[in-house]
Amino acid sequence: MSKLIGTYEDKKHGSESFPFNIYPCTIPLDFSSVALHWQEGMEFIFIKKGSGIVQVGTDIIEAKQGDIFIIPPTILHALRSIPNQSMEYENFLFDL
C-alpha cells in the first residue's frame, strides 16, 4: 500500500528488543478522536467500557464493552466518540 499523505503512522511501538506496547485510552476524556490512519504493525483494540465508533477500512461500527477489533497491517482505521458517551479501550500494538 502506498503511504497516503497524512494517514501513515510511523511511531515505533515498544523497543527494538520488545516491539510491543499497550495504550489505555478513553474517548473523549483523553482526546475526542483518533484520526484515520494506518501503520505497518498489527493492532488489537479492546473496548473495556462504554461505547463509541470504530472505523476499519470502510466499515463504521458502533463499538461497545467487550468488543475486540483486529486491525491488520496497512488497514485504515479510526476511533471517535458518540455524543454524551465515553469509550474506555486499550490498544495492543506490535510489529510482526
Side-chain angles (χ1 to χ4, degrees):
M1 171 182 250
S2 65
K3 293 182 182 178
L4 300 171
I5 295 173
T7 61
Y8 176 66
E9 179 186 69
D10 61 356
K11 179 180 179 179
K12 294 294 177 199
H13 302 285
S15 65
E16 196 168 307
S17 61
F18 192 72
F20 174 86
N21 213 336
I22 299 173
Y23 300 98
C25 302
T26 302
I27 287 180
L29 297 177
D30 295 323
F31 32 80
S32 62
S33 66
V34 176
L36 193 63
H37 69 285
W38 66 276
Q39 67 267 345
E40 293 173 357
M42 189 78 168
E43 180 172 355
F44 296 151
I45 301 168
F46 172 61
I47 311 303
K48 293 170 54 176
K49 191 166 149 183
S51 60
I53 301 295
V54 175
Q55 179 175 347
V56 180
T58 58
D59 295 327
I60 297 173
I61 303 133
E62 184 171 341
K64 60 188 179 315
Q65 181 176 342
D67 288 347
I68 298 173
F69 296 87
I70 299 170
I71 315 295
T74 74
I75 299 298
L76 285 168
H77 57 286
L79 295 98
R80 65 178 182 271
S81 63
I82 294 174
N84 302 315
Q85 296 191 41
S86 66
M87 179 172 67
E88 184 179 336
Y89 64 96
E90 289 192 3
N91 287 29
F92 301 82
L93 290 113
F94 55 95
D95 289 336
L96 297 175

